[in-house]
Amino acid sequence: MRLRAILALAMLVGLLTAVPAHAEVVHPRQQWLRDSTAGLFLHWGMFTAPRHLDCAAWERDVTDGGWTPDYWIDQARDLGASYIVLATFHSALGYARPWPSAIPGSCATRRDFLGELVNAGKAKGVRVMLYMTDDPQWHNNTGVEMLDSAAYSAYKGRQVDITTRPGFGMFSQDLFLEVMEKYPDLAGFWIDNENEYWQQNGLYDKVRERRPDWLLSNNNTDTPIMDTVSNEQKTGMTPAYDYPQAAWTPMPRLVEADYKLPTVGDWWYDGADHPVDARLSTGRYITNAGSSMKSLMAETAMVNGKFPPQQEAFNSFMSTWVPPIKESLHATEGGGYMYGGLQPGFWNDGAHGVITVRRDDGGKVQYVHVLTKPSTDRVRLRDNGYRVTGVSDLRTGERMRFTQSGGSLTILGITRWDDYDTVFKVETAGRQGFLTGVKATASAEQAEHPAAALVDGDFTKYWDSDGNLPVSVTLDLGKRKKVAYLAVNQREWSPVLARVTFGRPEDSARIKDYRVYVSDDGRRWDKPVRAGAMRSARGTQVLDLGEQHGRYVKLEVLNTWAGAQAPRFHRKLRIDEIQVADSYPVSRDSLPLEAERQQRTGQARVESCAACSGGAQVVGLRDGTLTYRDVGVPAAGEYRLQIDHTSATPATLSVAVNGAAPLQVRVPGDNKGVPASSALPVTLKAGTNTITLSGDAGVDRLAVAPMPPASYTPKTTMTVDPAGLQWVSPGQQTLRVSATLRLDSEDVLDQVAFAPAVPAGWTVEGEPIKASAVRLGQTLAGSWTLTSPPGMDVTATDIPITATFQSLGRPYTVTNQVGVRLRPADRVFMREAEDSRNKIGEAGITACAACSGGQKVRNIGGGPDQGSEPNAYVLFEDVTVPEARAYTLYIDFTVNGPKSYSVTVNGGPPTEVKVNGATNNTLYTVSVPVTLKAGPNIIKLHNDTTPAPDLDRISLSLG
């Protein structure tokens, strides 16, 4: 088995020839981390509460308090962590070095805490990595200088200011070299971003030369020479624990998720015993493992090294909770990606979870981790072509009933649920039904990422559409064959939802609207056999096609989920692999409430349907009925009734419950051999109920579940243009407003309407936008003209654009707004940096409490060495003034330390504007003279060499 793993690693290394120079995506030195599930992140230093400003006093209190390295090592083992990252030389912790150092410049202890920790870890199988910061900016944030430039200058024999980035880079590089010399058993460096001095002076090459077996990890930046990229404190996902939804690095790159275990508070001990959310923390731990990501969990050691009681308690809990499911986490990889496996993500009846697969057996043994249990006694998920031979509860060993058909595995009769992760061990006979010898071409491709990569079985290579949308991929099967479905693995290089990370806009570069065609000759294409929206989700996505026959299959991608606010991902499409299958694995057992097992009348009949559960459906209901007489529920009340139906054209089903008046269900048209789902609320009595269906559509099955919790809201995205606070001139104003509403979840919205709600005295030109139903990915758009009252100036006004809709009979409201303010009398122009009329390139919009509109533009200027991009700027177009003359340009900004803007007017030479400030939480203003022409002008704020300050807004007055 070990030889097989070594051979697999060697093959993977050989496959990585297309990776950029110096990128070491896979290397033998990484194996120990690849075999890990988690690490312990320790922020512990001089500013650990109670804060110390004297190095010797801090060291004395640490030792007198009873610090011992074995405590940390034992706590890490309880937590399930196989390594520790020690963050003491940290910009927010006083830049202390927990080792005796010959290099002056900041606090260095006499006691060798680092050496003791490394030795203790080596004795118990826990590795230690050392955190290093790139950033000197917090050197005196307490009012006491923590960096000693004079002492370091004397050591170097020349003047070096280590409070500047270049000087700090020199100082810290010396520390890297010292640590490499002193601690051969260290596992590597965990680096919090990069310093340009290190890059210019070959630091990483020195590490590779002197310690070739050490790892290098970088925080929030995927630097090619690094072994690992770490993703810091991701939030905003649904469910909240699904950390990988926000990740943007594809396998087999080593990826960490670093996050705080205490629910609130700092990364370091701040004097409080903060709670640990076990639900959130265990969920992150498991979902990260389900994407082959390592959980780097931060705990807050006190001065004496001990953890607060609630963190100790969580570690103790983990020491007993993990062992019964350890085999599902050890020597496994995330399932649904390059290593194969069932489909992770959202499952039936509110269930959510991930898959892990044994690394060495081709997916024959897999583990289904149910983190959010369904509201029923079953779990149903896509099988991705694996023929299942057995299912058991990993914790109890209980053999579980299951059924498999229509591309899904259903585990039945589940009565025991773990509070955090119910794990089912799934044994399979491997994958079946996939065609071989498929060739691929595309209507567009990058030369280095051609369509041939789609069918080569190699997830380290991919197809890139080269920014073209719509775009199509044509699969040549070699000869006419039966086709049942496509399994699409898109490249996991983007998050699944729109978000902003440290001011950088991100969005999902995944397929949204698509069409699929089948042809015998590759030239004549009939109507699409499928058309719809693909959900934005990680892992394999399946497109069922019904039973088709042909030589060629074409997937046409019309657009992706990414919006224009995230230019890195907008109109970009990358796909690792597309596989074509001709059949589904089928077991003999059936699901409850299958249509073909119910009572039929008139012309109702059973018809074969390979994509349906049980392999059949009931059709002919226009002149017949389908009656379920044993729909059982434990208590009377309102339930969610799901109908899996089929129809080639839009249709209607009538649903009568217990003889009541029938309810009408709209059925979308698509493919008569592929089921879709609709749901409605129904009132059922305790015990057995009767449900009768008739109408124009076929029926696959019913499913009954409790209604979703009252807190559940269908996920939508609403955009309003213009975005950002609008500053207007005196007098009556007319404002053109547009808005869009998009459904991002697999719900159905009914009775949808949205429109502006203007204040008294304002008028609206344009009707409300309405739709009877909206499904996944569908977007409604509208525009209106808003006019303020005549004969008066605009008062401060926030105009809501409100959408109302129903889902499962429950009402919902979504609102966005346009803020309107009167421009100050001494200004002839004013606009927010975040205004949607501006272009910002790779810069991003972030919240700012001190800023005029509550937002600002961040990450302007610089270059890759500084963690920003030269094409990150703010371009103000249509800066309209009444006459050609000199004006004063006011720039409202936030900044921490000395930085500068380049101001370019109408494409002329840039003017440098130098600024300084103490904190990014304070708003500053600087002015600069500019000459403008009458009418529209263009003003650009940028910096092509170094990072610029964050920008709130600009305004103009007469010069």
Side-chain angles (χ1 to χ4, degrees):
M1 184 177 296
R2 182 179 179 186
L3 176 61
R4 186 183 305 170
I6 293 173
L7 287 174
L9 179 60
M11 290 174 63
L12 191 51
V13 172
L15 289 171
L16 296 176
T17 55
V19 175
H22 305 298
E24 295 175 303
V25 175
V26 176
H27 192 280
R29 68 171 167 267
Q30 303 163 356
Q31 195 57 48
W32 71 264
L33 185 54
R34 293 189 180 276
D35 290 338
S36 301
T37 303
L40 173 59
F41 206 178
L42 294 178
H43 290 73
W44 174 80
M46 287 182 64
F47 292 175
T48 296
R51 176 180 292 176
H52 290 71
L53 300 176
D54 178 79
C55 186
W58 172 62
E59 179 178 352
R60 182 175 60 252
D61 286 350
V62 171
T63 297
D64 292 349
W67 183 91
T68 171
D70 287 291
Y71 173 82
W72 281 353
I73 298 301
D74 293 341
Q75 288 289 305
R77 287 160 60 98
D78 283 351
L79 187 59
S82 57
Y83 65 104
I84 290 174
V85 176
L86 179 60
T88 302
F89 185 67
H90 191 288
S91 59
L93 286 172
Y95 299 96
R97 290 166 286 163
W99 71 89
S101 176
I103 302 168
S106 70
C107 167
T109 59
R110 294 178 180 273
R111 182 177 175 182
D112 194 355
F113 297 104
L114 176 61
E116 292 181 39
L117 184 63
V118 170
N119 291 336
K122 183 178 180 181
K124 295 182 178 181
V126 176
R127 298 177 189 254
V128 177
M129 297 184 70
L130 183 64
Y131 171 102
M132 299 293 283
T133 184
D134 73 318
D135 187 5
Q137 70 171 312
W138 304 106
H139 60 93
N140 64 350
N141 64 326
T142 64
V144 176
E145 181 58 65
M146 305 308 296
L147 295 177
D148 190 343
S149 295
Y152 183 69
S153 296
Y155 169 78
K156 297 296 285 188
R158 60 191 178 94
Q159 186 62 38
V160 182
D161 184 355
I162 64 175
T163 68
T164 66
R165 287 190 64 82
F168 188 81
M170 179 185 295
F171 168 58
S172 54
Q173 178 150 320
D174 284 346
L175 301 184
F176 277 97
L177 301 179
E178 180 182 60
V179 168
M180 284 192 285
E181 181 67 26
K182 289 172 65 76
Y183 303 104
D185 291 326
L186 196 70
F189 294 113
W190 199 99
I191 300 170
D192 199 350
N193 298 309
E194 294 190 79
N195 187 290
E196 50 273 25
Y197 181 91
W198 303 341
Q199 296 177 325
Q200 295 163 1
N201 290 273
L203 172 62
Y204 307 136
D205 291 332
K206 290 180 173 64
V207 175
R208 291 286 180 247
E209 176 185 349
R210 300 184 188 189
R211 296 296 177 193
D213 58 335
W214 283 17
L215 296 187
L216 289 173
S217 181
N218 202 357
N219 191 24
N220 296 316
T221 302
D222 193 354
T223 307
I225 198 172
M226 302 287 184
D227 296 283
T228 308
V229 56
S230 200
N231 292 258
E232 179 182 338
Q233 196 65 24
K234 303 293 190 184
T235 57
M237 296 77 71
T238 303
Y241 59 72
D242 193 357
Y243 206 98
Q245 285 187 20
W248 36 258
T249 308
M251 301 175 187
R253 188 70 156 145
L254 259 175
V255 180
E256 282 178 329
D258 61 288
Y259 54 91
K260 297 180 288 187
L261 284 182
T263 307
V264 295
D266 291 323
W267 288 85
W268 45 88
Y269 181 66
D270 59 9
D273 180 16
H274 295 301
V276 177
D277 185 334
R279 181 82 181 90
L280 177 66
S281 299
T282 54
R284 285 172 165 175
Y285 184 87
I286 299 299
T287 56
N288 289 333
S291 282
S292 297
M293 292 171 59
K294 312 306 171 185
S295 290
L296 182 55
M297 298 174 281
E299 296 195 319
T300 59
M302 296 182 284
V303 171
N304 65 1
K306 296 294 193 294
F307 295 124
Q310 294 191 72
Q311 293 174 49
E312 275 193 338
F314 180 75
N315 296 346
S316 178
F317 160 74
M318 289 289 282
S319 72
T320 59
W321 182 76
V322 171
I325 60 171
K326 186 174 181 179
E327 76 170 72
S328 70
L329 303 170
H330 178 69
T332 61
E333 299 287 354
Y337 308 96
M338 68 179 292
Y339 303 100
L342 309 172
Q343 187 183 69
F346 290 95
W347 300 327
N348 63 296
D349 303 321
H352 183 275
V354 296
I355 309 298
T356 53
V357 298
R358 281 191 183 170
R359 185 182 296 159
D360 58 356
D361 70 356
K364 291 185 178 178
V365 176
Q366 307 184 33
Y367 303 90
V368 176
H369 297 262
V370 186
L371 296 157
T372 298
K373 69 178 184 180
S375 56
T376 58
D377 66 349
R378 63 187 67 101
V379 172
R380 189 166 188 251
L381 66 160
R382 294 301 303 228
D383 60 32
N384 284 351
Y386 288 91
R387 185 170 68 83
V388 177
T389 58
V391 179
S392 59
D393 185 316
L394 185 59
R395 293 183 186 275
T396 66
E398 177 188 0
R399 301 296 293 183
M400 307 300 299
R401 292 191 301 118
F402 69 92
T403 180
Q404 193 175 10
S405 62
S408 293
L409 165 69
T410 305
I411 304 171
L412 299 163
I414 306 169
T415 58
R416 296 184 180 93
W417 297 98
D418 184 76
D419 289 340
Y420 305 115
D421 181 20
T422 305
V423 186
F424 296 103
K425 183 176 182 178
V426 177
E427 298 166 281
T428 82
R431 300 184 85 183
Q432 68 176 42
F434 286 98
L435 304 181
T436 59
V438 178
K439 297 180 180 180
T441 57
S443 60
E445 62 187 19
Q446 281 189 353
E448 60 271 31
H449 299 294
L454 290 166
V455 291
D456 62 0
D458 180 358
F459 279 74
T460 67
K461 301 175 184 177
Y462 60 92
W463 165 71
D464 190 308
S465 71
D466 199 27
N468 290 281
L469 287 174
V471 68
S472 64
V473 170
T474 300
L475 305 171
D476 181 356
L477 312 183
K479 62 180 180 180
R480 181 178 168 86
K481 295 180 180 179
K482 185 174 82 168
V483 179
Y485 65 92
L486 304 180
V488 182
N489 274 95
Q490 299 171 85
R491 193 151 184 84
E492 305 292 350
W493 71 290
S494 67
V496 303
L497 69 164
R499 54 183 293 111
V500 175
T501 300
F502 298 106
R504 296 181 177 90
E506 302 171 349
D507 209 340
S508 176
R510 291 173 176 82
I511 297 169
K512 182 175 169 282
D513 295 312
Y514 68 87
R515 300 186 188 114
V516 182
Y517 303 82
V518 176
S519 169
D520 285 330
D521 58 12
R523 297 186 303 273
R524 291 169 293 184
W525 304 92
D526 204 347
K527 295 180 180 179
V529 297
R530 283 297 308 276
M534 185 183 292
R535 64 180 180 173
S536 178
R538 290 173 60 85
T540 309
Q541 301 302 305
V542 176
L543 295 179
D544 295 299
L545 304 180
E547 185 171 326
Q548 307 297 327
H549 294 83
R551 173 174 172 173
Y552 298 92
V553 180
K554 180 167 69 175
L555 170 62
E556 182 182 24
V557 179
L558 304 180
N559 48 49
T560 64
W561 287 92
Q565 86 289 348
R568 180 187 173 200
F569 303 104
H570 183 51
R571 296 184 59 82
K572 307 291 184 10
L573 179 62
R574 298 173 182 175
I575 301 179
D576 284 328
E577 295 290 317
I578 300 179
Q579 294 176 290
V580 185
D582 63 6
S583 60
Y584 302 96
V586 178
S587 67
R588 287 175 292 181
D589 294 331
S590 64
L591 273 174
L593 303 182
E594 292 281 7
E596 61 270 22
R597 295 175 177 267
Q598 310 306 316
Q599 179 180 324
R600 304 182 302 277
T601 65
Q603 298 298 312
R605 64 190 184 278
V606 176
E607 186 176 275
S608 175
C609 174
C612 296
S613 62
Q617 62 175 321
V618 171
V619 297
L621 295 177
R622 175 178 294 180
D623 300 308
T625 62
L626 173 67
T627 300
Y628 290 78
R629 297 196 179 279
D630 56 354
V631 180
V633 294
E638 190 175 43
Y639 288 82
R640 178 184 186 272
L641 174 64
Q642 176 178 313
I643 307 170
D644 290 355
H645 43 61
T646 64
S647 182
T649 58
T652 301
L653 280 172
S654 292
V655 182
V657 178
N658 293 326
L663 305 171
Q664 302 302 307
V665 177
R666 289 184 295 270
V667 175
D670 189 2
N671 183 312
K672 66 178 182 179
V674 178
S677 297
S678 295
L680 66 158
V682 295
T683 300
L684 301 179
K685 61 185 181 181
T688 300
N689 295 263
T690 299
I691 299 178
T692 301
L693 299 96
S694 61
D696 301 324
V699 177
D700 174 18
R701 59 184 283 266
L702 299 185
V704 177
M707 290 285 285
S711 59
Y712 177 77
T713 299
K715 184 170 178 54
T716 58
T717 296
M718 188 179 199
T719 62
V720 172
D721 186 62
L725 202 60
Q726 301 300 299
W727 295 94
V728 298
S729 57
Q732 187 179 32
Q733 298 296 317
T734 297
L735 192 65
R736 185 68 175 172
V737 174
S738 60
T740 63
L741 178 71
R742 185 184 73 192
L743 177 59
D744 299 338
S745 57
E746 293 183 308
D747 300 279
V748 178
L749 308 185
D750 299 311
Q751 302 177 36
V752 185
F754 73 109
V758 296
W762 285 67
T763 61
V764 179
E765 182 181 332
E767 296 299 318
I769 304 303
K770 297 182 179 181
S772 57
V774 174
R775 289 183 172 262
L776 174 68
Q778 292 180 342
T779 301
L780 299 181
S783 295
W784 305 269
T785 299
L786 314 182
T787 304
S788 66
M792 58 185 295
D793 295 339
V794 170
T795 58
T797 300
D798 293 320
I799 304 172
I801 315 297
T802 300
T804 60
F805 54 85
Q806 290 192 0
S807 182
L808 290 174
R810 294 173 175 172
Y812 296 93
T813 299
V814 176
T815 298
N816 205 331
Q817 66 181 25
V818 177
V820 184
R821 302 290 186 272
L822 181 64
R823 196 172 62 214
D826 64 337
R827 303 299 160 95
V828 297
F829 176 88
M830 179 175 283
R831 189 187 297 168
E832 299 291 329
E834 68 271 16
D835 193 299
S836 55
R837 291 172 291 179
N838 301 332
K839 296 177 181 176
I840 63 174
E842 295 287 345
I845 298 172
T846 190
C848 172
C851 297
S852 55
Q855 293 180 310
K856 64 181 178 179
V857 174
R858 182 181 176 187
N859 294 328
I860 301 170
D865 291 353
Q866 291 82 37
S868 301
E869 298 292 340
N871 62 338
Y873 51 80
V874 183
L875 184 70
F876 295 83
E877 297 179 310
D878 293 324
V879 178
T880 303
V881 293
E883 58 181 312
R885 57 168 294 164
Y887 292 86
T888 299
L889 172 66
Y890 295 91
I891 303 171
D892 296 345
F893 63 94
T894 68
V895 72
N896 186 351
K899 292 185 180 181
S900 66
Y901 291 109
S902 295
V903 178
T904 299
V905 177
N906 293 326
T911 298
E912 184 180 22
V913 180
K914 295 182 179 181
V915 298
N916 201 347
T919 171
N920 272 315
N921 296 321
T922 299
L923 195 63
Y924 303 96
T925 301
V926 67
S927 63
V928 59
V930 294
T931 299
L932 303 178
K933 63 184 180 180
N937 295 262
I938 298 175
I939 298 178
K940 181 179 181 181
L941 273 71
H942 58 111
N943 190 321
D944 295 340
T945 57
T946 61
D950 298 347
L951 182 62
D952 175 23
R953 67 182 178 185
I954 65 169
S955 59
L956 293 165
S957 70
L958 299 178

